[in-house]
């Protein structure tokens, strides 16, 4: 199957590079964040555009090969890699474009949280993200997504208002609450394997003032500190300036 997969990849003319076990950078190309998932795909396609994604889906289907999708590569169970199949690397689809007039930001399927934050935070806006900058926007969002501003603005997926998705038949579709609302519902918690998402559109939120600090307490004061923090959290508004805990 791997020979057939490689032949078809060579014949379809992808814009992005196809990296195989014989390539000098194969070991680096197959790596994911969770080192326990040390798997060896038959090929890694580093997609250059949406058409490469469509071609990868077609080839994997034609060859009856496993297709693994890697955005940030943070999947704990190792779903962003595979043995013997095709690893579709979306890392080059990492754009993030802010549209303040529309109150939205769009990010590519391979964008990381740092790409999304870099597009929004300097202008005073935010999409509720996770807490690790090299996490993929795609995996975080489709898993729900919880971060430091979720108390005010909810989960990451609560701010998702539309996606571009390549489905199993190779078609490229835009979906949202109006266009194919059932599929839009599905990707927001109905399970996986609906397609490969190549673009996300999020609703922006005003970031407001930010205070950052680090507090260290002796172990003997742990109960008092945690209790005090819990009491403070219940008293504070969800949005706005909060008094820091001095318990």
């Amino acid at each position: 199957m791997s020979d057939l997969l490689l032949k078809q990849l060579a014949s379809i003319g992808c814009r992005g590079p196809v990296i195989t076990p014989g390539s000098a950078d194969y070991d680096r190309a197959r790596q994911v964040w969770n080192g326990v998932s040390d798997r060896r795909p038959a090929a890694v396609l580093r997609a250059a555009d949406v058409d490469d994604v469509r071609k990868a889906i077609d080839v994997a289907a034609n060859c009856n090969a496993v297709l693994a999708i890697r955005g940030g590569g943070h999947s704990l169970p190792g779903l962003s890699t595979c043995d013997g199949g095709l690893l579709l690397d979306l890392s080059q689809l990492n754009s993030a474009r802010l549209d303040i007039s529309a109150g939205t930001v769009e990010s590519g399927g391979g964008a990381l949280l740092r790409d999304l934050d870099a597009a929004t935070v300097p202008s005073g806006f935010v999409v509720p993200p996770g807490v690790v900058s090299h996490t993929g926007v795609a995996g975080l969002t489709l898993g729900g997504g919880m971060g430091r501003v979720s108390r005010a603005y909810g989960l990451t997926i609560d701010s998702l208002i539309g996606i571009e998705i390549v489905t199993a038949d190779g078609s490229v579709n835009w979906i949202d609450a109006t266009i194919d609302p059932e599929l839009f519902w599905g990707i927001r918690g109905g399970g996986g394997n609906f397609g490969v998402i190549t673009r996300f559109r999020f609703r922006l939120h005003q970031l407001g003032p930010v205070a950052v600090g680090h507090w260290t307490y002796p172990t003997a004061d742990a109960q008092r500190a945690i209790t005090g923090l819990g009491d403070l959290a219940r008293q504070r508004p969800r949005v706005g300036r909060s008094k820091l805990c001095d318990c």
Side-chain angles (χ1 to χ4, degrees), residues 84-128:
L86 175 59
L87 171 54
L88 177 58
D89 178 355
L90 301 181
S91 61
Q92 300 303 303
L93 307 182
N94 62 350
S95 62
R97 295 184 293 273
L98 185 68
D99 187 341
I100 295 178
S101 62
T104 62
V105 62
E106 291 190 357
S107 68
L112 304 181
L113 296 190
R114 62 171 171 253
D115 301 315
L116 185 60
D117 284 343
T120 57
V121 173
S123 298
F125 296 96
V126 69
V127 172

Side-chain angles (χ1 to χ4, degrees), residues 2-28:
S2 61
D3 289 343
L4 177 61
L5 181 67
L6 295 177
K7 286 179 181 178
Q8 291 213 10
L9 284 171
S11 68
I12 58 176
C14 293
R15 289 189 59 210
V18 176
I19 303 165
T20 64
S23 305
D25 58 346
Y26 172 75
D27 282 333
R28 184 172 61 180

Side-chain angles (χ1 to χ4, degrees), residues 34-215:
N34 185 2
V36 173
S37 301
D38 185 23
R39 297 173 185 164
R40 302 184 66 85
V44 179
L45 171 58
R46 191 169 291 149
D49 52 25
V50 175
D51 195 49
D52 276 358
V53 173
R54 184 186 60 76
K55 290 175 179 177
I57 292 173
D58 285 345
V59 167
N62 292 338
C63 298
N64 196 28
V66 172
L67 177 65
I69 314 302
R70 185 174 68 205
H74 271 240
S75 169
L76 285 173
L79 300 179
S80 45
T81 185
C82 62
D83 278 321
L86 175 59
L87 171 54
L88 177 58
D89 178 355
L90 301 181
S91 61
Q92 300 303 303
L93 307 182
N94 62 350
S95 62
R97 295 184 293 273
L98 185 68
D99 187 341
I100 295 178
S101 62
T104 62
V105 62
E106 291 190 357
S107 68
L112 304 181
L113 296 190
R114 62 171 171 253
D115 301 315
L116 185 60
D117 284 343
T120 57
V121 173
S123 298
F125 296 96
V126 69
V127 172
V131 297
V132 178
S133 63
H134 50 86
T135 302
V137 171
L140 178 89
T141 302
L142 299 178
M146 181 179 291
R148 292 188 174 94
V149 296
S150 288
R151 177 178 171 86
Y153 301 125
L155 300 177
T156 309
I157 206 164
D158 293 330
S159 296
L160 183 67
I161 56 178
I163 64 166
E164 179 183 74
I165 185 170
V166 186
T167 51
D169 62 358
S171 63
V172 182
N173 305 281
W174 177 263
I175 68 167
D176 54 30
T178 302
I179 304 170
D180 203 342
E182 291 196 4
L183 180 54
F184 190 52
W185 174 88
I187 62 96
R188 291 180 298 140
N193 294 328
F194 292 107
V196 180
I197 299 177
T198 51
R199 184 158 47 101
F200 295 81
R201 181 179 295 163
F202 297 99
R203 180 182 303 107
L204 291 172
H205 303 275
Q206 287 282 351
L207 180 58
V210 176
V212 178
H214 179 79
W215 295 265

